[in-house]
Amino acid sequence: MLKTPTIVLNVKTYTEATGINALELARLMEKISKETGVSMAIAVQASDITRCAKEVSIPVYAQHIDPIKPGSSTGWTLPEAIKTAGAVGTLINHSEHRLILADIDTCILRARDLELDTLVCTNNVATSKAVSTFSPLMIAVEPPELIGGDISVTTADPGIVSNTVNAVRTINKTVKILCGAGVKNGKDVARAIELGAEGVLLASGVVKAKDKEAVLRDLTSGI
Amino acid sequence: MLKTPTIVLNVKTYTEATGINALELARLMEKISKETGVSMAIAVQASDITRCAKEVSIPVYAQHIDPIKPGSSTGWTLPEAIKTAGAVGTLINHSEHRLILADIDTCILRARDLELDTLVCTNNVATSKAVSTFSPLMIAVEPPELIGGDISVTTADPGIVSNTVNAVRTINKTVKILCGAGVKNGKDVARAIELGAEGVLLASGVVKAKDKEAVLRDLTSGI
Amino acid sequence: MLKTPTIVLNVKTYTEATGINALELARLMEKISKETGVSMAIAVQASDITRCAKEVSIPVYAQHIDPIKPGSSTGWTLPEAIKTAGAVGTLINHSEHRLILADIDTCILRARDLELDTLVCTNNVATSKAVSTFSPLMIAVEPPELIGGDISVTTADPGIVSNTVNAVRTINKTVKILCGAGVKNGKDVARAIELGAEGVLLASGVVKAKDKEAVLRDLTSGI
Amino acid sequence: MLKTPTIVLNVKTYTEATGINALELARLMEKISKETGVSMAIAVQASDITRCAKEVSIPVYAQHIDPIKPGSSTGWTLPEAIKTAGAVGTLINHSEHRLILADIDTCILRARDLELDTLVCTNNVATSKAVSTFSPLMIAVEPPELIGGDISVTTADPGIVSNTVNAVRTINKTVKILCGAGVKNGKDVARAIELGAEGVLLASGVVKAKDKEAVLRDLTSGI
């Protein structure tokens, strides 16, 4: 189970984090995580899980699972398949890969059966509260309009973080709340934690950075 | 480029072909393909491509690609990712994973740019003809109601195979036509070829068989 | 706002309730509702709203709205359009028309802005609880495997009704809970109310009945 | 069957063409069509079909149909329902409402069975050619990046129109080809016809215009 506070990196389908590049980025995170003691996880494409999980000690997550059981689901992502490949958790319902409500429920149940960490992405306070009724391990609230942008959610809309924490706590005392969208540096991370989050979910801020190591080190300074 | 006549095995998301089981099945196919000289390819889950492609010499296909370019597509299947993992081709528009028309066009273009074989699945004569205008490498016509069933398309509806061949030929002289659904033995394969197909696409007939090797050998006898 | 206890009839896309047939069924319900004093609403296809709402006094619902604002959404269902046509409420997230979580939130907000009743369909206790955090007017829990079947949810799985009521009450004291799937007669309705529901959502039990009037009258006997 | 050359107006879900506004716009088109003799059709939201079709003599189209038969399809658009409501045709596969390939085939067949005109929208030459194998009544090619924009497809990308006409003619001699995206005035219409199209499909150019009548009259001047 992922330790918090934490930094979760979703590498999406960027060229800079596909194939060997995903592995190199995972290794870099492993190095910095070991040096700093900061908990980190990397969510890679399905085809990159096996190698990353085999060669790196930080937690490797899938970016998505489908609400299916083994059988006839050509081209969909079977929870068992990403588990067997070495993933220890998965994003669910990312902004770029939304699921219908009943399928979020099913995905969380399937992941729990397989002892996979569940990190469910949400777009606002209301949907975070709804998801908290399912008791996933973590919820990452990310306003869609800020994703991939230059301003961190912790600056552009700090209220969404603290309000999510407060709203979710009325329902569920144990789910961990992360925030994301536009997060780029240690100050953003520190601010996230001040607002009640237990870490961040980010992507382009690291993956598209010229000096990924510098950005990752800076991010850890916020924890 | 896959040689024809051929037997393409789509292992779907069956437990019997996930993780190490996928690799073992791929090895079995490799052995029989070498012994018999019959062209075979295996379409595995994205998380199984790397290992299968590394350890086995028969062509490894993805089961699906999404119509995307590198970037922000969390949890979707990037054509570059499956290429880098070692796939040499991909199924497109499988019955269990249909695509909108414009996306079939885009997937074929993206795969062609990456020099990936394209095997587009269709449900009837009319859609096969439509797809042939895109000039994929192969089209596999599979009546959905016969998929996973006990009766081979070549017995239950032989006309769909010959009519597809004839209809496609009025548009496109080079696309190779496979057929699928319920295919289980060498007689079905032989009949497919008599009807004008250049091979078969199958799944459960092999994957769910008690004696996979016997079934695979029998299938090759039809070519 | 729909009065409870209530009987909500979803006529789906049945021939027996398309066009003039929808209107006749709405008139029949109006007659029985007036005679018995039992609250009833009818959810019709978008193209049938105008006529039903104009000619009948019982509440007319849409079967679905999309999470959109006026603009460029060709062929989707604009909440304003069904409101203008005369609907006073809408089903949301029906089993045959599931929505992603963020869109359920948006649909409820859009409907509330337009003062449309919201009846959100769910598949189990967990998703009912999640939806209750959005405070719709009503939630109708319907186990998908029982929809359209011969055995009422109140017989086949009474626990899902009482457990939904109990689970939702821990979150939300005001949302009204209906149940559905296989409901066919007054005993089923009476049992639903005993289990804590404030009515039923049903479809084929009335629409496919030879004697719709007899079935409707029997249903009202349960309230 | 819609006469060509023609001007087809898709009013989308604009406020300016919802409810009574749709009816007024339909009446305006009827008036201008009668005065000028130019063939025109209007594609309105499902909830507006009944009234428009009843009160106006120009052809009323649906904006979409789903590939379904009567039955259990809550909230989807049944071809029979829009026919009964008075539509004489339908858009299929609009840029804002794309369909999977097999469903385009099914929608065309369902519409043909009901004697509804079929106007299938496409995004480029390749998909137009593919759709022409299904022999719909009309194909409207619209580059998505130009839809809703200020520059007409006939100016920004005239080649797509002439190339579509040429490519489709190698497959199908009878399907009528329209073009759309950014069309705003009579010159655009005239140019479309010069390029081999038999009319235009447009939306915002009329619906969002301050003086709809002036724009409509100008459009007819191009025919």
Side-chain angles (χ1 to χ4, degrees), chain D residues 59-71:
Chain D
V60 172
Y61 276 34
Q63 293 176 3
H64 173 76
I65 54 172
D66 285 298
I68 54 172
K69 292 195 172 176

Side-chain angles (χ1 to χ4, degrees), chain C residues 13 63 71 74-76 96-97, chain D residues 10 13 63 71 74-76 96-97:
Chain C
T13 48
Q63 292 177 3
T74 299
W76 300 99
E96 293 153 11
H97 212 139
Chain D
N10 169 19
T13 48
Q63 293 176 3
T74 299
W76 301 99
E96 293 153 11
H97 212 140

Side-chain angles (χ1 to χ4, degrees), chain B residues 19 22-23 26 42 44 48-58 60:
Chain B
L23 183 58
I42 184 167
V44 300
D48 288 325
I49 293 172
T50 303
R51 234 172 0 167
C52 290
K54 187 178 171 191
E55 303 199 16
V56 178
S57 62
I58 60 167
V60 172

